[in-house]
Amino acid sequence: MTKPNSLMAFARFFSFLLISQLATAQDRNYVFIDSTDTEADIVRKAAQVVPSPRQLRWQQLELTAFFHFGINTFTNREWGTGKEDPQLFNPSDLDARQWISVVKKAGIRQVILTAKHHDGFCLWPTKTTRHSVASSPWKNGQGDVVREVAEASREAGIGFGVYLSPWDMNSPVYGSEAYNDLFVAQLTELLTQYGRIDEVWFDGANGEGPNGKKQEYDFNRWYALIRKLQPTATIAIMGPDVRWVGTESGHGRETEWSVVPADNLDPAAIAGNSQQEIDRKPTGDMQQQDLGSRGKIKKAKALVWYPAETDVSIRPGWFYHAAEDSRVKSNQELTDIYFNSVGRNGVLLLNIPPDKRGRIHEADEKAMLAWKATLDGIFARNLAAAATGKPKNSKALFDDNDASHLALDKGLPATLELSWKTPQTLNVLALQENIRKGQRVEAFRLEYWNGSGWETATTGTTIGYKRLLRFKTITASRIRLVITEARDTPYLASFGLYHDSRQP
Ligand code: FUL
């Protein structure tokens, strides 16, 4: 009599353990691969890794802007020396509201200011060094660029982040443990005096300080401080939340996996810890062409959600140079960048460098607004949403909500057909997965009915948060999306078809 009871209790306990493990595994932005896992197990595990809440918020921004501004703006250089006289910093007409107004009109949702670049000059009146705006003639040393940009961003309802260069060519303590303390003090000022900070951007550059020494950066200590003071801020590039896409061209990979192998995650360090996310920068080669294919993940020890940020400048340089006023990127270049960054499962970080006046130059403003008008034109009308023939339950694809989805759970290939009463002219495809469920789609194609058979309009590999594809203009009254490969049930969040009249 007691035996079956205890067996049942054991079974119940066992299934509880299993369910609770599954439940937490699904909320995590990392997973460990066991030596006993088969390739199929690894693929399933990869499909269940999801973004942390802060990674999700960041991904949804799509468009963010960089402001490279500092002593280099006044010396006409890209990299300073650390020996510049702070007296050189003297914007004649600094207007952070104008910066924010321009980028906001262009659809930018968050900005990042170079609070300190490699030259060590601080754009806020820090207590850690005299090498700052406090020693400049601007506003008689009473100014604070960080505050002005933070306040203008808050007023406009867009996010605000800081770039704080670990490399500091000016600090006399650079190259010693005291520098890590100084850096903690600088971070503390930035993270406590300016309200909410949404992103902290650490550059990987590590050169020599004024005494010729290099520094060992205490990154893990800095991450812990940021988590404590600004728990919702993403830590980018030399950080655990967001990786550099690997190029400064603005064009990401065609196949862009947000789930990638990490070499340095240790189950022992995380075991027994209720953590839902990792707290260190994943290591491994994050710059090669193929980061997360089946071939890559099958050799991994751990997999982590580590999405790509695509940074590029609207001009050749990162800082403002008058000689580049005529070299601001064209509308076509910016539009191509949008398709190849946001449209390739990345977040675009577009640099618009304020000039010596402390304003966004007219040429950049014009380019930003023209670009916005072009994008608005292309995406004005989702012709897929207007289809008269649609699968049942497909409402979630057209509700402009990336948290709702259509689960394509009837096996592969999964086909979604749309039809219209009159033929439609189309040349842009937009797809989204509900990444709260993970990134799953590995290959898809779009087909159209040519009157006697199905022809391929375009093909793609990964989707992730967003995939945009342009293709040769077709006119058809029936089209179908065919998902041919996926790591688990595809959860499609949106399906868009558009006509860009400027495109052949
Ligand atoms: C690089 C820096 O050296 C450049 O000056 C610029 O800040 C770019 C965004 O990152 O590593």
Side-chain angles (χ1 to χ4, degrees):
M1 283 299 279
T2 55
K3 227 174 167 191
N5 265 348
S6 59
L7 252 181
M8 263 172 60
F10 177 74
R12 233 179 286 129
F13 177 62
F14 186 69
S15 62
F16 162 75
L17 262 188
L18 206 71
I19 287 166
S20 59
Q21 270 210 342
L22 276 179
T24 44
Q26 281 174 0
D27 297 337
R28 285 191 175 154
N29 81 345
Y30 65 91
V31 69
F32 292 109
I33 307 301
D34 304 322
S35 55
T36 53
D37 282 341
T38 63
E39 267 187 58
D41 293 334
I42 296 172
V43 168
R44 205 170 317 113
K45 279 186 167 181
Q48 283 175 8
V49 176
V50 295
S52 67
R54 74 171 78 76
Q55 287 175 319
L56 179 63
R57 173 199 168 272
W58 170 86
Q59 188 87 48
Q60 289 175 306
L61 296 168
E62 299 191 6
L63 293 176
T64 63
F66 236 157
F67 294 133
H68 272 69
F69 186 64
I71 206 81
N72 295 338
T73 314
F74 299 88
T75 56
N76 202 24
R77 294 178 69 126
E78 276 295 296
W79 277 10
T81 60
K83 298 191 178 76
E84 292 87 356
D85 184 348
Q87 290 287 321
L88 294 170
F89 184 87
N90 198 11
S92 53
D93 187 22
L94 190 139
D95 184 359
R97 289 199 180 88
Q98 186 253 356
W99 309 4
I100 298 299
S101 149
V102 170
V103 299
K104 191 180 176 185
K105 276 190 230 150
I108 300 286
R109 314 255 316 273
Q110 181 161 300
V111 298
I112 299 176
L113 171 68
T114 52
K116 176 183 87 167
H117 203 252
H118 309 328
D119 50 71
F121 183 79
C122 296
L123 292 184
W124 79 104
T126 172
K127 292 202 174 72
T128 61
T129 170
R130 293 286 303 150
H131 200 57
S132 81
V133 284
S135 307
S136 80
W138 179 59
K139 297 196 169 177
N140 294 320
Q142 302 300 305
D144 184 342
V145 185
V146 175
R147 182 164 313 284
E148 297 201 14
V149 181
E151 283 177 358
S153 306
R154 194 153 312 112
E155 273 169 32
I158 70 176
F160 175 70
V162 288
Y163 168 114
L164 189 66
S165 172
W167 183 18
D168 188 322
M169 300 173 181
N170 176 267
S171 173
V173 294
Y174 190 84
S176 73
E177 199 37 42
Y179 180 74
N180 282 319
D181 297 336
L182 176 132
F183 199 85
V184 161
Q186 294 190 335
L187 262 181
T188 305
E189 290 177 355
L190 291 171
L191 302 180
T192 56
Q193 297 174 9
Y194 300 98
R196 202 176 84 190
I197 300 292
D198 296 293
E199 185 161 344
V200 180
W201 214 92
F202 288 143
D203 202 303
N206 184 347
E208 292 174 2
N211 52 18
K213 286 197 200 150
K214 282 200 179 184
Q215 176 73 34
E216 263 197 49
Y217 302 137
D218 196 351
F219 278 118
N220 288 338
R221 185 174 161 207
W222 304 346
Y223 304 156
L225 181 74
I226 299 166
R227 293 293 196 240
K228 188 172 125 216
L229 298 177
Q230 293 281 350
T232 56
T234 41
I235 312 174
I237 315 307
M238 296 304 288
D241 301 318
V242 170
R243 84 182 135 81
W244 183 45
V245 74
T247 161
E248 289 177 347
S249 67
H251 301 272
R253 294 173 186 77
E254 280 196 45
T255 301
E256 188 62 81
W257 285 104
S258 292
V259 177
V260 296
D263 300 334
N264 62 332
L265 302 188
D266 173 10
I270 298 180
N273 172 337
S274 62
Q275 232 175 291
Q276 300 296 300
E277 59 181 340
I278 58 141
D279 57 2
R280 66 204 74 180
K281 175 178 164 32
T283 61
D285 187 353
M286 301 288 173
Q287 285 178 38
Q288 51 194 300
Q289 200 46 35
D290 174 7
L291 293 185
S293 69
R294 288 190 187 216
K296 292 283 171 191
I297 61 173
K298 75 177 183 202
K299 296 184 211 132
K301 294 193 202 89
L303 299 171
V304 60
W305 188 274
Y306 199 32
E309 183 173 71
T310 311
D311 64 334
V312 61
S313 185
I314 195 165
R315 290 161 171 253
W318 290 100
F319 284 89
Y320 176 83
H321 310 288
E324 293 179 355
D325 285 351
S326 57
R327 299 183 63 197
V328 172
K329 289 195 169 52
S330 68
N331 194 6
Q332 187 60 49
E333 282 173 289
L334 290 173
T335 303
D336 290 347
I337 284 173
Y338 178 80
F339 272 87
N340 294 343
S341 55
V342 175
R344 289 182 175 174
N345 192 29
V347 167
L348 176 61
L349 176 58
L350 178 63
N351 180 61
I352 305 107
D355 62 17
K356 282 170 83 164
R357 293 171 300 175
R359 297 177 69 88
I360 303 292
H361 190 271
E362 292 69 10
D364 307 59
E365 174 169 6
K366 202 170 147 216
M368 293 289 282
L369 300 183
W371 173 54
K372 169 75 164 131
T374 298
L375 294 181
D376 284 351
I378 297 172
F379 297 103
R381 184 145 183 262
N382 184 357
L383 298 162
T388 40
K390 293 190 197 109
K392 273 188 242 137
N393 310 326
S394 63
K395 219 173 110 223
L397 299 178
F398 311 110
D399 63 0
D400 286 327
N401 175 4
D402 61 34
S404 68
H405 60 250
L406 175 65
L408 300 167
D409 52 6
K410 304 274 184 301
L412 295 177
T415 302
L416 253 170
E417 190 174 329
L418 302 181
S419 59
W420 298 265
K421 295 221 167 72
T422 53
Q424 304 292 308
T425 303
L426 311 163
N427 55 17
V428 174
L429 170 66
L431 296 170
Q432 289 189 282
E433 285 181 78
N434 181 357
I435 56 170
R436 292 160 191 77
K437 299 282 180 186
Q439 185 184 355
R440 295 168 169 208
V441 175
E442 294 171 299
F444 64 87
R445 63 174 183 267
L446 182 75
E447 296 179 337
Y448 65 101
W449 183 253
N450 68 8
S452 54
W454 289 104
E455 253 182 71
T456 299
T458 189
T459 61
T461 53
T462 44
I463 297 176
Y465 174 73
K466 187 172 265 189
R467 187 67 199 264
L468 302 172
L469 280 168
R470 292 177 285 189
F471 52 91
K472 203 170 138 281
T473 304
I474 58 162
T475 300
S477 45
R478 280 173 75 193
I479 62 99
R480 65 182 192 186
L481 176 71
V482 188
I483 294 178
T484 49
E485 288 166 53
R487 293 181 171 175
D488 206 332
T489 302
Y491 288 100
L492 206 61
S494 77
F495 183 6
L497 286 167
Y498 303 89
H499 179 226
D500 175 3
S501 54
R502 305 162 324 137
Q503 192 186 305

